[in-house]
Amino acid sequence: MSYNQTDIELMRRAIALAKKGGGFVHPNPLVGCVVVKDGQIIAEGYHEKYGEFHAERNALTRCQADTRGATLYVTLEPCCHYGKTPPCTEIIIEKGIKKVFVGILDPNPLVAGKGVKILQDAGIEVVTGLCEDEIREMNRVFLKYITTKRPYVIMKTAMTLDGKIAAFTGDSRWVTNEQSRQQVHELRSEMAGVLAGIGTVLADDPMLNVRLEGHYHQPVRIVVDSNLRIPIDSQLVKTAKEYRTIVATTKRDDCRDDAHIVSTGVEILECQSNNSHVDINDLMAKLGAIGIDSLLLEGGGTLNAAFLEAGCVNEVWAFIAPKIIGGAAAQTPVAGKGIERMSDAIQLQNIDIQNIDGDILIKGKICSRE
């Protein structure tokens, strides 16, 4: 179906509004809404925080104008069930909206076309698919999580031009420039969780929080630590009561006294073991079950390899600095055994390349092997 330019611009306005909820609505989708009457925008809204009103209800309840006969643009199909908030279909009907443009249908089984049908049965004209590709990209986390109950994983790496994430001495501060590091913090703020391995914790003693001026979402900090070696005096443990921190470890038969870690505020998540290491697929299932819909993987080569081998990486952000440090023993972004033949290499698609003040950022989605 073809859409006129005005409709496209109004839906893109709704998309821009939706993005304001980034980081604050997990595990809900990003949703924006614009209401138009007689060629003028009379109301706007977006889903601002998990558990609070959805975009349509925010827009319509705050509107001071008469909405009868108006047209509503919303990025996601209006909900039609009672959850933490009332159905958005109800207020759209109550307010006398005449026409609704819906970006994408909601794959949530509680909605999945039912919202559109309710509106149509009430005599409202509904048009779907406006700016669908843009909205699917914006809500790629939600679309995976609502259908699989597993987190969407972005693997972030920062390397030199010769593919090293640290010098042979282990020094890694800083591989990339300040602008690149700021972009990483912005990405962290949009994710439900940020995850690293115990090797990174022991080597770098990171905070894994968002350090930007202003009001930003702080992700849950997760450490994969199969044998529970995390130091009690590490920054992660010392700040666990300030920032939610989870340590994923293996289930073992022996009785371990984890009280000294738990007393600091750290949460212990026991996972199945795979060759004495945390089973990545079991970890993904358990994190999904507690509402972690997205992860920024900031591990070293060993953890990155484990996630890739388990098929749990959806997207890659590779920052490349114009530096060469060499060193046969210097660490690389992906370790493990590796792939035997170049023809079997993991491929990326939908590539986007950016220049960040001299650093290069390559983003891409992992090609499905199905």
Side-chain angles (χ1 to χ4, degrees), residues 249-260:
T249 188
T250 56
K251 290 185 177 181
R252 300 199 316 197
D253 294 333
D254 59 319
C255 295
R256 297 180 303 186
D257 181 11
D258 300 339
H260 66 298

Side-chain angles (χ1 to χ4, degrees), residues 221-265:
R221 305 179 303 179
I222 304 159
V223 179
V224 177
D225 182 9
S226 300
N227 296 306
L228 206 58
R229 295 186 291 147
I230 190 167
I232 198 78
D233 62 349
S234 65
Q235 291 197 86
L236 288 168
V237 173
K238 289 191 294 185
T239 58
K241 290 182 179 178
E242 182 179 0
Y243 305 108
R244 187 181 179 188
T245 305
I246 297 173
V247 173
T249 188
T250 56
K251 290 185 177 181
R252 300 199 316 197
D253 294 333
D254 59 319
C255 295
R256 297 180 303 186
D257 181 11
D258 300 339
H260 66 298
I261 292 292
V262 174
S263 66
T264 66

Side-chain angles (χ1 to χ4, degrees), residues 116-182:
V116 166
K117 187 174 187 308
I118 287 172
L119 295 178
Q120 291 173 330
D121 289 347
I124 298 172
E125 181 184 354
V126 180
V127 179
T128 62
L130 179 58
C131 299
E132 181 174 2
D133 291 344
E134 295 171 52
I135 295 168
R136 285 190 175 279
E137 174 64 17
M138 176 179 72
N139 272 314
R140 61 197 186 282
V141 166
F142 169 74
L143 293 173
K144 178 184 178 180
Y145 182 73
I146 197 66
T147 54
T148 68
K149 294 302 179 186
R150 291 163 65 95
Y152 186 98
V153 178
I154 298 178
M155 185 181 85
K156 186 276 295 182
T157 65
M159 70 187 94
T160 59
L161 193 60
D162 54 337
K164 308 297 183 181
I165 62 174
F168 74 91
T169 59
D171 178 60
S172 61
R173 296 191 176 182
W174 295 102
V175 174
T176 54
N177 63 35
E178 185 176 349
Q179 289 83 351
S180 293
R181 298 197 299 275
Q182 175 162 328

